[in-house]
Amino acid sequence: MPERLEWSVDAEVYSRETVFASCRRWSAEASFKITKKGKKLWRVAAAAKPGVSKERLAEIHDGFEDEAMHQELRAGALRDAGKVREAVILRALLSASQDPQ
Amino acid sequence: MSRPAPFNFRLRGDRVLISNDFGHFLWLDEEAFSAFAKGTLPESDPRFGELCAKGFMAERMDLTALTERWRARNTHLWDASCLHILVVTRNCNMRCVYCHAQAQSGSQWDMSEATAAKIVDRVFETPNKVLTIEFQGGEPLTNFPVVLFVADRARRLAKKTGKELRLSLITNLSLMDEEKYAALRERNIEICSSLDGPAALHDANRLLFGGSSYRRVIRWWNRLRQDGVVPAALLTVTRKTLDHADAVVEEYRKRGATSIALRPLNPLGYAKTVWNKIGYTPEEFLAFYRRALDRVIAANRRGRIFPETTAKVFLTKALAAREPNHMDLRSPCGAGIGQIAYDYDGEIYSCDEGRLLRAMGDDLFHLGHVDAMGPKECALHPTIRTLAQASSLDAQSGCSRCVYKPTCGVCPLLEYVENGDLFTRAPDSRRCRILMGIQDDLFERLRDPRQRKVLETWVDGEMERRGDPAALYQRT
């Protein structure tokens, strides 16, 4: 049986996308199942993939909320910068891909 | 009273540093900051005028002047890859303890003339008027005929296309001889080497079988100075360097260097495998940096202008509102849109570090082969689009609200190596802690009129304005 661990994450703070993004960070080491528990919590169930120790799974658990916070802030930054950011990136890519003068 | 326009801030002791996207910075005390943020700062306040002039007050913005300033600070957005790095060989005769390039042995790692010709032709497909070709390795002097072949072909093409061309050779100088030296000088190829400090320190870091690498560097360094050329040099800080800040700065000053680059070690190549022996924490590096910068500033007070190059980049952005186009201190970074790296076999990477990562077994930053793609295809490559996104400071959680957003930059590759994610983990990432520490230190120093007087002379272009001949050899 693979090592398993379960914990909860505040659903009022972290969106479904952020919790998914956090899971993706460790998807090479563990399988995740996410379920909503009431209105206020996400329930995260993690099962270690072959070769991943119990200690490592505990480390993933410890880092999970930090990662969720990072992903939430990043999503916020992407939302806030919006069209300006897209325009800047597009400008840089267009200039670099012009034909020679 | 006036509403504040968008701004970022950082609390430092009892004062607050604020900045905005136009690249303006201002120190406020806590009381003034609180009133400014609430929109209750009275017009009679002595700082009100400066806040308006710098675009911090929403209803008092001179949008024409501020837009011009924004454009001047972002000239790289209207430019293409100006830096083309040619790894003419991976072969190297030295074994430096921190080698980022994972040097190899043998001529099988040499670039052929046929590959070199294709690369040079591709380089001239770049729309830029000004191009730089940088010869890297391994040790480029082990494949010297190809260096000359590239230089001659590139000069011909530059003449034909009317582009301005700069050639630069990164070498350990250990294989330099009179014949090679004359050939380089004849073709106006700039020479850049490494000098890690006094002999004992340099030789401990940069191992040369059968001799002192320091002696060879200094021999050719002196020769260049005799010929009226000030050689450019790079310093890589290892754990051994940390206790010798004064000696390192003194060595550079004594040898007549016109600048010093206090570069932290990156966990790439061999450096990653021996990190526990030669690596250090960001805080240890910052303690070294501050001590070295004290010494550098003291040396400036005694005579000619002698900047530290990382500080120079930040100061140029903060004080002169110009973009020095330092590839990993801009937003977005230069990967694929400011620089392109070509390996010995014609494989193309987003940057030189991307090439090093491939040598370490990870091809995430590999774009394709010179047979199939040029600069245009590189810029449109999905990897480059992703790197532009990952290095756009407005898209980074820790950076978009950082007071140093106008001056800083992220390196997705180093973030990826450190955290397994292209998007930065600022402010916890190693690079962020170092760059934030350096900028904290610099902005504190700018509050001291005596230090500010020195630091203002380091701003890019300032040396030319003052007619300092060493300006010709300043590098950022």
Side-chain angles (χ1 to χ4, degrees), chain B residues 93-94 135-142 168-176 184 190-195 206 217 232:
Chain B
N93 61 323
M94 286 177 61
F135 299 102
Q136 282 257 19
E139 169 50 44
L141 293 185
T142 62
S168 176
L169 176 82
I170 313 297
T171 170
N172 63 36
L173 287 171
S174 64
L175 297 173
M176 186 66 84
L184 292 169
E190 292 173 28
I191 298 170
C192 179
S193 189
S194 289
L195 181 62
R206 304 183 58 81
V217 168

Side-chain angles (χ1 to χ4, degrees), chain B residues 382-397:
Chain B
T383 300
I384 296 305
R385 186 173 281 271
T386 308
L387 291 175
Q389 183 89 323
S391 60
S392 170
L393 296 185
D394 285 310
Q396 311 305 313
S397 57

